[in-house]
Structure formats: C-alpha cells, structure tokens
Amino acid sequence: MVEAFAVASGKGGTGKTTSVLALGMALAEEYDVTVVDADTGMANLLFHAGLADVDTTLHDLLVEDPELPVEDAVYERHGLSVVPCGTSLAGFSAAHPERLRDVVAELADDTDVILLDSPAALGSKSAVLPIVLADRTITVLQPTVPALSDGLKVREYARSYGTEGAGVLFNRVTDDRAVERVSASSDRYFDGPVLGVVPESEAVRAAREAGKPLLAHAPDSSAASAYREAARTLTVEAGDPGAVADRFASAVVPDPP
Ligand code: ADP
Ligand code: MG
C-alpha cells in the first residue's frame, strides 16, 4: 500500500518542512513512512532532521546517469525513512528535476506513505513537480489572507493535474479567530478537511535549533499534540505500490504556469 502526499503552500516559511517531519513521525506510529526533501532548490530538511553532514543526498540521484542506488540516499532516523536533499548550488544545477519521478517510483515499492516536502511558489519545473506527481496535497497555511490566496493558487494548479486535496493544516497560529475567519473560506475552496491547527510555538523554534524534528525534541508540547491530532484526521487511502510506481514513472512533466 502506498499514498504520496505533497506538503505544499504558496509561501515560504509557513512550516512545510517542520510539518513534513512532525506529521511523518506521527503517521509512523501506524504506517511505514518515507519523507523526501523535494524542495531541491532551497533544501533544508536535512538541517531539521539532523542530517546536515551526510554525503549522499537526493541531488546525487537526480543527475543524468546516477551511479548510486536510491537506497544510498535513504536514512533511517526518528522512525522514518528520510531522503534529504543537498544544499549546494552545483548540486541543484546538475539535477534533472523530472528524475524525481523515477526516485519516488522506486521508493513507492517499499513504504506506506510518502511525504514530499514541496517548494514554495510555482515558478519552475522542480517547484511544480511534487504537487503534480502526488496523489494528494496537504496545504500548510498561516491564517492570513495573503497566505490563503497563495495557497489557493497552488491548490488550483494541483487540481488541474488531477491531484486532490487531503486538507489544510493551519500553522503558526496566534489567534484562533483568524483561523475561523479563514476556514470559512477555506472550506469553500480547499477540498478536504482542516487537518489541524498548530500554534506558534517556542518548542518548534527550539527543535529547529537543536536539529531535531519537533516530535523528537518536544513530544509533549501543544504543537506536537496538534500534529498528532492532524495525523489522526488524515485518512490514508492506500494504493497498489506497482500502480503508484507506474503512474509516477510515466507522469508527464509540465511546464510551470
Ligand atoms: P517552510 O518549509 O514552509 O519554508 P519551515 O518548516 O522551514 O517552513 O519553517 C520556517 C521557520 O519557521 C523555521 O525556523 C521554523 O522553526 C519556524 N516555524 C515553523 N512552524 C512554527 C511554529 N508553529 N511555531 C514557531 N515557529 C515555527
Ligand atoms: Mg522548507
């Protein structure tokens, strides 16, 4: 069984990378979870996951003729299989974004849930690929009108490629009334439920500084509880790994809008 989710938003800094690891760890209590840093231009999941010093990353798999097997870039950490991406500009320049299809197609054989940490914005092939390839998107939103507007653009684009919405995750929330106001419209425009409401939290910042995922650094924080609740709300619709792999491998890579 496998389902691939793109964790996306229109804006940077909404908490996608934080959410990929936190949701991933919460889902790992029930599923075999693989998280992939598909934000290949501005990769930073490795810093959040304590993998800053690893040699082999996704960049090494996205080159023209990769010499390494996919498993060389998969690290078992915090109960997850983690595929970090390198941070060098040279690595990004040498990468062929569309090879992400083949990498994910291989990963699909051996996991239940794939979370793709996706780039902000829609400006390039590498930015649109994760939301085009995924089965569904999880949209991470700060409860503000500009964030909502950017998030909606991403949803609209994803939908035009048949990627459904798995729901909205509000993050960095300081005022519940803002969530109420924004969810009134998000219900109308986003397919899927509000998965969770994660507060702005010192624990999240501290975890990032410690180079650990939130659920490892501060499992008892209110932010961690909110992520566990979100993972319970998310219903994983498992597909057949072979079918998912075939679909990824044969996906058409679109030009960005
Ligand atoms: P993105 O991947 O969307 O760019 P990150 O997950 O890297 O966002 O988060 C951006 C910054 O905001 C990081 O420094 C992170 O620690 C911080 N952050 C994310 N979520 C929260 C939160 N709920 N409370 C406080 N800080 C947060
Ligand atoms: Mg990020």
Side-chain angles (χ1 to χ4, degrees), residues 12-18 48 171-172 199-201 204-205 208:
T14 56
K16 293 178 292 298
T17 304
T18 302
H48 290 247
N171 186 30
R172 315 203 68 163
E200 175 77 21
S201 152
V204 177
R205 274 186 290 274
R208 167 71 187 78

Side-chain angles (χ1 to χ4, degrees), residues 15-30:
K16 293 178 292 298
T17 304
T18 302
S19 300
V20 162
L21 288 164
L23 276 179
M25 282 185 70
L27 288 166
E29 288 171 19
E30 198 176 337

Side-chain angles (χ1 to χ4, degrees), residues 36-38 40 56-63 73 83-86 100 103:
V36 182
D37 191 352
T40 53
T56 307
T57 74
L58 182 63
H59 272 162
D60 301 301
L61 306 177
L62 299 180
V63 295
V83 184
C85 186
L100 182 68
V103 172

Side-chain angles (χ1 to χ4, degrees), residues 140-233:
V140 182
L141 282 185
Q142 287 178 251
T144 65
V145 170
L148 180 68
S149 149
D150 291 350
L152 280 170
K153 250 169 272 169
V154 170
R155 269 306 307 139
E156 194 185 321
Y157 184 79
R159 194 180 290 128
S160 74
Y161 282 94
T163 308
E164 288 169 35
V168 175
L169 184 59
F170 287 106
N171 186 30
R172 315 203 68 163
V173 174
T174 52
D175 175 2
D176 284 337
R177 282 166 306 179
V179 172
E180 278 163 33
R181 277 196 299 275
V182 170
S183 4
S185 23
S186 69
D187 270 0
R188 235 176 311 141
Y189 299 115
F190 286 92
D191 22 7
V194 172
L195 295 170
V197 177
V198 182
E200 175 77 21
S201 152
E202 188 49 45
V204 177
R205 274 186 290 274
R208 167 71 187 78
E209 268 161 41
K212 281 191 179 171
L214 173 70
L215 269 67
H217 189 71
D220 300 326
S221 59
S222 56
S225 304
Y227 277 116
R228 281 193 294 267
E229 180 64 37
R232 278 192 291 272
T233 308

